[in-house]
Amino acid sequence: MDHPVSGRVGVLVPAAGRGERLGTGAAKALCEIAGTPMLVHAVRSLASAASVDTVVVAAPPEDVEAVRAVLGADILVVAGGDSRPESVRCALRVLPAEVDIVLVHDAARPFVPPSVVEAVVAAVRAGHDAVVPVLPVPDTVKRVAADGRVIETLSRADLYAAQTPQGFRRDVLAAAHAKSWTDATDDALLVERLGIPVWTVPGAADAFKVTWPEDLLRAEAVLAATPVADRDA
Ligand code: C5P
């Protein structure tokens, strides 16, 4: 634990991925769930958390104007980069100076509950430099060689899947991204590489990531189960 942090909360939303595993041909963040782009669902979910003051989206460069039009004037939109970490850096560069706590959230997780956002913010405010929502891994996980042979079986007891939003003191996230690493699939890994402890809070099943075509069906089902009154919260 470092020092407690007060101040404003900003969320960076990397949304510039091509979504090749989804197989739709369009930018993944713009794929529609019940007629509304996934990115719009994700930004609405974030904005419904009372602590969130500012949202910055890193969009596919060719879609910046379209994303601005669909999100409206309150959301900052910049062109993303060739990798997820580069897209996060594009958004970090325009984050207002008064933001002290930075969350990074995948556009591909459209239905993160506000309670998870608030738990991450609270843990950073309490003094943790870096915080990740996690879920226990239900499957037995094996490392497998390129030829299909099992190399080892990992102990499930201490394996967790990392979700987003991941939360950071701004100076810690900036230091991690100052290294210009491009190979990380989340931001916590960059902080781990600096030797700074990363802490966890419980994640949520609804914060799942849309990766495969069947995930779009799951997303439609989550939306259908959400009371109408809560949809645009
Ligand atoms: O590919 P994956 O699902 O891991 O991407 C996670 C998030 O990173 C997605 O929201 C995606 O749009 C974003 N991303 C990005 N810029 C890239 C690649 C991915 O903003 N170049």
Side-chain angles (χ1 to χ4, degrees):
M1 290 259 285
D2 208 331
H3 349 281
V5 196
S6 55
R8 295 173 78 81
V9 176
V11 191
L12 313 180
V13 184
R18 300 293 352 151
E20 271 137 27
R21 290 170 290 184
L22 206 52
T24 59
K28 178 159 73 171
L30 298 178
C31 279
E32 294 189 352
I33 301 166
T36 300
M38 194 182 320
L39 173 61
V40 174
H41 289 292
V43 169
R44 279 184 191 161
S45 300
L46 293 165
S48 73
S51 299
V52 170
D53 297 302
T54 304
V55 178
V56 184
V57 170
E62 62 278 19
D63 295 321
V64 168
E65 288 310 323
V67 168
R68 268 193 197 128
V70 84
L71 289 177
D74 289 344
I75 309 295
L76 287 167
V77 182
V78 295
D82 289 338
S83 66
R84 187 187 182 284
E86 288 170 293
S87 293
V88 171
R89 288 194 278 278
C90 291
L92 194 52
R93 279 197 277 275
V94 301
L95 192 64
E98 64 270 20
V99 169
D100 295 322
I101 295 174
V102 188
L103 273 46
V104 185
H105 182 66
D106 291 328
R109 298 180 189 272
F111 301 122
V112 60
S115 57
V116 173
V117 179
E118 298 297 359
V120 171
V121 170
V124 178
R125 281 204 199 289
H128 293 306
D129 287 338
V131 178
V132 182
V134 295
L135 281 184
V137 174
D139 298 311
T140 297
V141 178
K142 298 182 188 292
R143 280 173 24 88
V144 178
D147 65 1
R149 185 180 56 87
V150 171
I151 300 168
E152 66 170 324
T153 299
L154 305 171
S155 166
R156 195 171 61 186
D158 58 0
L159 285 180
Y160 290 80
Q163 300 185 319
T164 71
Q166 301 184 349
F168 307 90
R169 283 168 50 118
R170 182 179 184 148
D171 55 345
V172 168
L173 187 68
H177 277 285
K179 298 284 183 187
S180 299
W181 284 310
T182 58
D183 60 337
T185 49
D186 75 355
D187 299 89
L189 171 56
L190 304 180
V191 172
E192 289 162 48
R193 284 180 183 165
L194 297 183
I196 295 172
V198 174
W199 297 84
T200 62
V201 295
D206 279 354
F208 70 94
K209 187 165 78 169
V210 174
T211 303
W212 307 105
E214 56 268 33
D215 297 329
L216 287 172
L217 297 177
R218 180 177 178 189
E220 306 250 353
V222 168
L223 199 59
T226 306
V228 174
D230 294 345
R231 281 192 200 154
D232 289 332

